[in-house]
Amino acid sequence: MSDKYTQAIEASKVITDDAAVAAAVAEIIDKHLAENKNIDTYKFLFNTIDLTTLKATDSPASVADFTERVNAFEEEHPELPNVAAICVYPNFAQVVRAVLEVSRVDIACVSGGFPSSQTFPEVKVAETALAVDGGADEIDIVLNVGNFLDGDYEGVCDEIQEQKHACREARLKVILETGALKTAANIKAASVLALYSGADFLKTSTGKEFPGASLEAAYVMCQCIKEYYEATGNMVGFKASGGVATTAEAVAYYTLVKEVLGEKWLTNEYFRIGASRLANNLLSDILGQETKFF
C-alpha cells in the first residue's frame, strides 16, 4: 500500500519520458528563442539575478566589498534595474544587511548544510533560523538527495517542512540538485515532494558537485509548478542555477518559463537565475560594450 508521498507523485500527470522532455524543450526553443533576444529581455533578466558569492575564501571584508558593488550599481546605472538579490553563506547575512543600501535588493542565504545537505536536521534548522535572524529575506536549501534516492520521502519532506518553519517570514527555495537526480522521473518526484512541503521556489542546482541547470530539468520543474498552481492556487517560483553564465543561456531559461508557466511568472518574485558571471555578460549586451562591473 503506497503512502501519501508516493500517492502525490503518482497523481502528477507531468511527463517523465526523457526523450519526450528533450523533444518538448527543443520545440519551444526552436519556435520562441529568437523573439526573446532583445534589450528589454536582457534588462529583465538582469533584474532576476541572485548575485552569488559562495567561495571558501569569502570573508566579512570581501562580502562587504561585494555588497558595495551592488550599491554602486544603483548610483552609476540609475536607468537600469538592479539585481534581485545578493546570495551568500548564512554567516554573512549580517554583513550584507549592514552594508546594503539598496531597498529593492533582497538578501538570500544558502543554508541547511549547503551544498551537500549532509548534516544533522537540528543543525539545518538552527542554521536557517540564524540566517533569518541575521537578516536573510530568502533561504536556499538542498533537498536531502541521499534520503530521496533511498526512497525515504517522509524524511525528505519532514526536513523541508522544519526548515520552512524556521524561515518564518523569509521565502524558502528548495534546490533539487537535478544533476544528481538525473532522470525526468526523479526530478518530477522531487519537485512534487518539495512543492507539497511548502517550497516557495524550486531551484535546479547548487553549482558545486554535480552538473548544473539543464533546460530539460527546468521544463519538468516548471510543469510541476504549473500543475501545483492549477491544483492549489499557490504560485511557486522557479530558479535556474549552476552554470548559467551567458546571455544566450539566460534567454533560453526565460523562454522556457514564459512558454510553460506564462507571463505571470515573468517577474523576479517568481523567476530567478543564480549566477556570478552572468551579470557582467548581460550588462555587456545591454550597454553594447564589454563591461566588468561586478
Side-chain angles (χ1 to χ4, degrees), residues 36 38-50 73 80-83 244-252 254 271 273 275-292 294:
N36 297 319
N38 57 69
I39 298 294
D40 286 341
T41 301
Y42 304 161
K43 287 179 180 177
F44 168 80
L45 285 166
F46 188 83
N47 190 226
T48 69
I49 292 175
D50 284 357
F73 183 81
L80 295 176
N82 213 319
V83 295
V244 185
T246 68
T247 297
E249 287 164 346
V251 172
Y254 171 92
F271 177 40
I273 299 176
S276 52
R277 293 171 291 165
L278 176 63
N280 285 333
N281 289 331
L282 275 172
L283 268 182
S284 298
D285 287 324
I286 291 166
L287 300 174
Q289 61 187 52
E290 187 175 4
T291 305
K292 292 185 177 177
F294 296 102

Side-chain angles (χ1 to χ4, degrees), residues 148-260:
F148 173 85
L149 293 174
D150 272 359
D152 180 12
Y153 297 158
E154 183 176 9
V156 169
C157 293
D158 284 350
E159 282 194 11
I160 295 171
Q161 288 166 352
E162 286 168 7
Q163 289 180 86
K164 170 72 171 176
H165 181 71
C167 281
R168 300 195 296 279
E169 298 303 312
R171 297 208 293 170
L172 181 67
K173 306 191 194 98
V174 178
I175 305 165
L176 304 186
E177 199 65 293
T178 55
L181 297 178
K182 295 180 180 175
T183 66
N186 277 343
I187 292 165
K188 178 182 93 166
S191 295
V192 169
L193 295 178
L195 287 165
Y196 282 95
S197 297
D200 297 303
F201 259 84
L202 295 186
K203 176 177 169 182
T204 58
S205 322
T206 62
K208 299 294 184 183
E209 185 181 351
F210 295 96
S214 73
L215 292 171
E216 290 75 21
Y219 178 83
V220 175
M221 291 164 69
C222 287
Q223 291 286 0
C224 289
I225 289 168
K226 181 180 181 181
E227 184 180 67
Y228 180 74
Y229 173 67
E230 289 169 351
T232 67
N234 295 328
M235 279 181 75
V236 170
F238 168 77
K239 179 176 173 180
S241 187
V244 185
T246 68
T247 297
E249 287 164 346
V251 172
Y253 285 99
Y254 171 92
T255 302
L256 210 59
V257 168
K258 183 179 178 182
E259 297 306 318
V260 175

Side-chain angles (χ1 to χ4, degrees), residues 9-87:
I9 294 164
E10 290 174 347
S12 171
K13 302 290 193 291
V14 173
I15 61 169
T16 55
D17 179 87
D18 292 302
V21 169
V25 169
E27 183 178 0
I28 288 170
I29 296 302
D30 186 53
K31 278 188 179 178
H32 299 287
L33 183 69
E35 70 201 44
N36 297 319
K37 290 182 177 178
N38 57 69
I39 298 294
D40 286 341
T41 301
Y42 304 161
K43 287 179 180 177
F44 168 80
L45 285 166
F46 188 83
N47 190 226
T48 69
I49 292 175
D50 284 357
L51 194 67
T52 303
T53 180
L54 296 170
K55 302 193 291 284
T57 53
D58 287 343
S59 69
S62 73
V63 170
D65 288 345
F66 188 77
T67 306
E68 286 286 17
R69 293 307 291 157
V70 174
N71 292 338
F73 183 81
E74 194 94 339
E75 294 174 18
E76 294 185 35
H77 292 284
E79 79 285 2
L80 295 176
N82 213 319
V83 295
I86 295 173
C87 184

